[in-house]
Amino acid sequence: MRTLVIFFLAAFLFVCCNSNQTVAPEGYTVTGTAEGCTDGDTVYLCRMEGFLDVVPTDTTVVRGGQFRFEGKADGAQLRFVVPTHKGSAVAMTVMVLENADIHVALTAGGRADSIKGGPSQALYEEFLDGSTKISQQLQMAWEVANDTVATDRMRLNAEITIDSLMELQTNYRKQFIISHIPSAASDLIFGQCEHDFSDADRDELLRLLGEQQPQYPAYRAAMEEKKVKSGK
């Protein structure tokens, strides 16, 4: 009898301890609306290849004023949502596709697009916010460095500023990845920025990613590339 009581107590504690844990979805569902689209219009889910080459990976049709995509994602991936009307794109926005419930509301011209996605969406937006602020400072410095009216001293100072900001940008990206390991977002950002890092920084990031989250696609692709280059 005592053994039976202990058994049920252990089972009860196991259920209680696991009842508050969030179970990750096995796939993704993307639902949304697009201003300027009507029932029967086509919506594309696309990835970027090379230099501004948008390649469709899935399509759906607007029904009841909404569109819907379903599937399974390998980690977190950037995807463009492109709704069309009479064969022409009426909007385009980028989102993070991952196994989660995602809702997209698109407006003509992207005036007030809304994306409510999984955890990687919020992290990627936070990353972009910080990176964009540094990029804006870089743009201003580039303009001075290439301004034929500016004095030599102004252009020299601008070039020094550019070097400093580029180092700051690289360090920001590296530290953001490290501070958010383990996460699918850190793998996504690594995949975007890996070739901007020095060999030493890239190797350090690969080591950390491999120790804590080797299951994600950017890490696997980088290790495969490294293996091919080494001839092993």
Side-chain angles (χ1 to χ4, degrees):
M1 181 66 180
R2 183 170 178 271
T3 302
L4 188 61
V5 170
I6 293 174
F7 171 79
F8 280 111
L9 180 60
F12 174 77
L13 290 173
F14 176 81
V15 171
C16 290
C17 290
N18 287 278
S19 61
N20 293 324
Q21 294 182 4
T22 302
V23 178
E26 294 185 357
Y28 63 80
T29 300
V30 180
T31 56
T33 58
E35 188 177 308
C37 282
T38 57
D39 284 6
D41 285 337
T42 301
V43 181
Y44 295 89
L45 201 59
C46 308
R47 69 171 182 268
M48 184 73 75
E49 288 187 358
F51 183 69
L52 300 180
D53 190 10
V54 178
V55 179
T57 60
D58 198 0
T59 61
T60 191
V61 174
V62 176
R63 294 185 178 89
Q66 295 190 332
F67 59 85
R68 181 184 182 92
F69 294 97
E70 292 182 341
K72 289 187 178 182
D74 184 9
Q77 308 162 9
L78 287 186
R79 287 291 184 269
F80 289 86
V81 183
V82 185
T84 64
H85 179 64
K86 295 183 179 179
S88 298
V90 297
M92 182 171 73
T93 194
V94 65
M95 70 171 192
V96 178
L97 182 68
E98 62 183 329
N99 293 326
D101 291 328
I102 303 168
H103 183 74
V104 181
L106 302 181
T107 55
R111 299 187 318 275
D113 292 344
S114 172
I115 303 173
K116 296 179 181 179
S120 296
Q121 180 71 39
L123 282 178
Y124 188 71
E125 289 176 359
E126 180 185 341
F127 166 76
L128 280 186
D129 183 58
S131 183
T132 299
K133 289 177 181 176
I134 299 173
S135 295
Q136 289 171 342
Q137 296 177 63
L138 269 169
Q139 179 61 34
M140 289 188 290
W142 275 111
E143 290 175 359
V144 175
N146 292 279
D147 187 353
T148 56
V149 179
T151 65
D152 290 344
R153 185 174 186 83
M154 290 171 64
R155 287 196 294 270
L156 177 60
N157 287 338
E159 290 172 0
I160 294 172
T161 300
I162 288 169
D163 290 340
S164 176
L165 287 171
M166 290 185 71
E167 183 178 357
L168 177 64
Q169 182 77 282
T170 300
N171 287 334
Y172 168 77
R173 291 169 175 173
K174 177 184 175 182
Q175 291 306 317
F176 194 95
I177 292 170
I178 292 174
S179 64
H180 292 93
I181 293 175
S183 72
S186 62
D187 181 77
L188 168 64
I189 296 166
F190 171 77
Q192 284 192 303
C193 306
E194 62 170 310
H195 295 296
D196 296 330
F197 296 123
S198 66
D199 289 343
D201 282 347
R202 186 168 181 266
D203 286 343
E204 179 185 357
L205 288 169
L206 283 173
R207 178 182 61 80
L208 293 172
L209 292 169
E211 288 174 352
Q212 300 188 56
Q213 53 177 66
Q215 73 273 28
Y216 290 120
Y219 169 78
R220 298 198 313 266
M223 292 303 294
E224 185 62 29
E225 178 184 331
K226 191 173 183 179
K227 182 179 178 181
V228 171
K229 286 183 177 180
S230 67
K232 296 180 180 179

